[in-house]
Amino acid sequence: MCHVIVTCRSMLWTLLSIVVAFAELIAFMSADWLIGTAKGRSGAEPDDRSGGSSEPYHPTLGIYARCIRNPGVQHVPRETLCGPYAENFGEIASGFWQATAIFLAVGIFILCTVALVSVFTMCVQSIMKKSLFNVCGLLQGIAGLFLILGLILYPAGWGCQKAVGYCGHYASAYKPGDCSLGWAFYTAIGGTVLTFICAVFSAQAEIATSSDKVQEEIEEGKNLICLL
């Protein structure tokens, strides 16, 4: 029989695990890792009647995606066009960014798996006498290491030709040149920090769900156990 056990610490750990997985996934898919130098519309003239704004804009560049100003495609109403610049893995601008993509993808896959499993820990707390909280915490720690490796390698690719085109000729490894860092990069860093917090907090969730009070309520025959 399944005993649904809900405690504040286990619920908080579950919510954080889900938030971290989504945050890292969104950051990875975003083009807002580097914010390029201001550019004007190509070929824009003072009497340009195309309807597009001639004000400078800042293109953005991600690991495999980019956002640029709409060059005048009339059937596309948006001011900017965003999408992958690389049609396959080999076209990613830098070998360092290819490694970053691999490390981040592995870390995010682990985090998404843990986020899915964390939902079921309210009903199943152990498998083969192994605590799911402890196993998930270990996996989150491993995922955090993969994320750190990816984030360390990412700035090494700032000297690639594509990054130089966005950030100017002063861009080089670990020097973004005229570019500034976008929200996706900071989100990835924040998500990595939260990943390790989740790994530590999983131990507290394990303690809360295996406390004497929980065992007493199970022995009383209760199937739904909610504790603060």
Side-chain angles (χ1 to χ4, degrees):
M1 182 178 295
C2 175
H3 299 280
V4 179
I5 303 174
V6 180
T7 68
C8 285
R9 281 178 282 184
S10 64
M11 182 60 68
L12 181 58
W13 172 76
T14 298
L15 291 176
L16 281 177
S17 298
I18 295 172
V19 168
V20 165
F22 273 102
E24 289 289 349
L25 180 60
I26 292 172
F28 177 71
M29 296 174 64
S30 172
D32 292 325
W33 285 70
L34 283 176
I35 301 176
T37 55
K39 299 179 183 295
R41 179 182 288 276
S42 177
E45 296 293 337
D47 60 344
D48 183 10
R49 298 181 181 179
S50 63
S53 171
S54 61
E55 295 180 358
Y57 74 104
H58 294 272
T60 60
L61 179 65
I63 297 172
Y64 67 91
R66 55 90 181 102
C67 284
I68 58 174
R69 172 166 285 182
N70 187 341
V73 181
Q74 296 183 2
H75 66 274
V76 180
R78 294 175 296 177
E79 278 291 313
T80 58
L81 296 176
C82 297
Y85 67 80
E87 295 183 0
N88 55 65
F89 182 77
E91 292 184 359
I92 293 178
S94 165
F96 289 108
W97 288 5
Q98 291 176 354
T100 294
I102 292 173
F103 284 124
L104 292 185
V106 172
I108 291 170
F109 175 78
I110 295 174
L111 289 179
C112 289
T113 302
V114 171
L116 179 63
V117 172
S118 69
V119 176
F120 296 98
T121 56
M122 291 184 293
C123 186
V124 180
Q125 288 77 44
S126 63
I127 293 180
M128 298 178 63
K129 297 183 179 181
K130 298 292 185 180
S131 168
L132 278 181
F133 294 103
N134 292 339
V135 172
C136 286
L138 176 61
L139 289 176
Q140 285 175 325
I142 294 173
L145 294 177
F146 277 108
L147 296 177
I148 287 178
L149 288 173
L151 291 174
I152 289 175
L153 289 174
Y154 169 70
W158 288 346
C160 69
Q161 184 176 358
K162 195 166 193 69
V164 169
Y166 278 72
C167 305
H169 295 290
Y170 292 105
S172 60
Y174 296 97
K175 295 180 181 180
D178 296 327
C179 281
S180 58
L181 298 177
W183 65 264
F185 181 75
Y186 292 112
T187 299
I189 292 176
T192 302
V193 173
L194 283 178
T195 296
F196 286 105
I197 292 176
C198 284
V200 173
F201 206 71
S202 65
Q204 296 300 316
E206 160 66 17
I207 293 172
T209 56
S210 60
S211 64
D212 293 338
K213 191 172 183 179
V214 170
Q215 297 303 317
E216 289 175 2
E217 300 216 11
I218 291 176
E219 292 174 359
E220 291 175 4
K222 294 182 179 180
N223 294 325
L224 176 60
I225 304 169
C226 297
L227 300 176
L228 296 177

